[in-house]
Amino acid sequence: MSVMNFAMTLDALAEGGKSNGIATMIEGLTRWRRDTVITRSGQTINYIVKRIYSDARSCTVHGTSERYHLDWQELREIAQLISRRCLIQAIVRAGELKQATCMSGLFYEQQD
């Protein structure tokens, strides 16, 4: 369940952009590119986001997951790391902005 909660956190920060929107938000907030390898086994941000969003969030929320019995520890730890980093960066940027009309204003460069 915690992976699903991290997925929903990322989805909310990305304004409901699904896995592609989440990956775009991660790039904007953390400066990690989608093809950045973040696991010892060679998994990229893009691959992990798709697993977090599709396997954890969507399948669990919609009741189509057949993986309830599996240990989600590795994915949970990665989801927690990414979520924490994005939340911290969103808070830091929100404090720096004069105004933001939406969440995407936090992860796209502001022009003065």
Side-chain angles (χ1 to χ4, degrees):
M1 283 300 186
S2 61
V3 176
M4 183 183 68
N5 291 329
F6 290 127
M8 290 189 301
T9 297
L10 292 169
D11 196 30
L13 279 174
E15 298 181 317
K18 300 185 179 179
S19 58
N20 188 51
I22 292 170
T24 299
M25 180 215 38
I26 291 169
E27 285 183 312
L29 285 175
T30 66
R31 304 297 187 237
W32 293 337
R33 293 181 10 195
R34 292 168 193 251
D35 60 353
T36 300
V37 174
I38 60 169
T39 66
R40 290 184 191 112
S41 60
Q43 298 172 344
T44 64
I45 293 280
N46 209 40
Y47 178 80
I48 292 295
V49 167
K50 286 179 182 177
R51 282 196 59 210
I52 292 169
Y53 188 83
S54 297
D55 294 350
R57 183 219 171 266
S58 293
C59 291
T60 303
V61 169
H62 299 297
T64 58
S65 180
E66 298 175 3
R67 299 178 179 166
Y68 292 113
H69 64 286
L70 296 179
D71 180 12
W72 292 83
Q73 182 176 348
E74 179 186 6
L75 189 59
R76 181 178 61 241
E77 289 172 358
I78 295 168
Q80 180 182 12
L81 171 101
I82 293 170
S83 298
R84 182 185 314 136
R85 179 77 179 262
C86 288
L87 284 168
I88 290 169
Q89 288 302 314
I91 291 166
V92 167
R93 292 202 186 170
E96 294 172 349
L97 291 177
K98 296 175 186 160
Q99 66 177 182
T101 57
C102 60
M103 286 303 300
S104 61
L106 298 177
F107 55 88
Y108 292 117
E109 294 295 326
Q110 296 293 310
Q111 302 294 322
D112 289 326

